């Protein structure tokens, strides 16, 4: 029997307060942070240099926008675009069994989140939704910051539950 697929709806009406574009992807977070005192993750020299570059890129896009209220909950979506995600030998005799290459987007977001947080003047305590997406395209990253309703911070998102 064929079961009807339940689509997961991620797009909702939101008050988008920032959208930013990074022309280049930062390297993996593994190369930008190191373990510091008591195991705290701190940026390496290279991590600080790349963070400064990302900040200047966003600052040029956001410098004329008003400050954000630190007492409002925010959501942050980071979209990482990677090229060549498809294994060319997938499906061929003797080829790989995996359709997609093992390119991880989750370890590319911490530095971006830190840069966005610093530039908008809102720290992690007000970031309630943090979502990282991986998409196929020319390598770059985009960020979206949106306001949330206070009540949303108390509930499991309805899009996580299938009807």
């Amino acid at each position: 029997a064929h079961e009807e697929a339940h689509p997961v709806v991620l797009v909702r009406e939101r008050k988008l307060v920032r959208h930013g574009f990074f022309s280049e992807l930062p390297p993996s977070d593994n190369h930008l942070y190191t373990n510091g005192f008591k195991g705290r993750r701190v940026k390496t020299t290279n991590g600080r240099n790349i963070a400064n570059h990302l900040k200047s890129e966003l600052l040029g896009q956001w410098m004329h926008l008003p400050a954000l209220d630190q007492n409002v909950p925010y959501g942050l979506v980071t979209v990482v675009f990677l090229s060549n995600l498809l294994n060319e030998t997938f499906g061929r005799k003797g080829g790989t069994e995996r359709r997609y290459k093992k390119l991880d987007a989750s370890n590319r977001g911490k530095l971006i989140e830190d840069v966005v947080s610093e530039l908008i003047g809102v720290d992690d305590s007000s970031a309630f939704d943090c979502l990282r997406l991986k998409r196929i395209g020319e390598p770059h990253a985009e960020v979206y910051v949106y306001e949330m309703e206070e009540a949303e911070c108390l509930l499991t998102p309805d899009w996580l539950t299938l009807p």
Side-chain angles (χ1 to χ4, degrees), residues 25-29 32 78 80 82 103-113 132 141:
L25 279 179
S28 163
D29 292 341
L32 303 174
T78 304
V80 174
L82 299 166
L103 293 174
D104 192 3
S106 64
N107 67 359
R108 302 253 185 169
K110 171 111 176 79
L111 186 68
I112 292 172
E113 289 170 7
R132 292 183 191 158

Side-chain angles (χ1 to χ4, degrees), residues 125-142:
S125 65
S126 289
F128 281 84
D129 283 357
C130 292
L131 181 63
R132 292 183 191 158
L133 304 174
K134 176 171 66 173
R135 295 294 183 257
I136 298 172
E138 287 301 313
H140 72 281
E142 295 181 27

Side-chain angles (χ1 to χ4, degrees), residues 25-49:
L25 279 179
S28 163
D29 292 341
N30 299 332
H31 302 290
L32 303 174
Y33 292 87
T34 188
N35 291 328
F37 184 68
K38 294 187 178 183
R40 185 168 181 247
R41 298 287 285 166
V42 295
K43 290 183 194 98
T44 62
T45 300
N46 188 40
R48 286 190 300 275
N49 290 340

Side-chain angles (χ1 to χ4, degrees), residues 85-102:
L85 286 177
L86 299 175
N87 277 314
E88 292 182 21
T89 62
F90 172 73
R92 295 183 188 164
K93 186 175 181 179
T96 182
E97 294 179 6
R98 296 179 185 267
R99 179 181 175 121
Y100 302 103
K101 293 180 182 178
K102 289 186 174 185

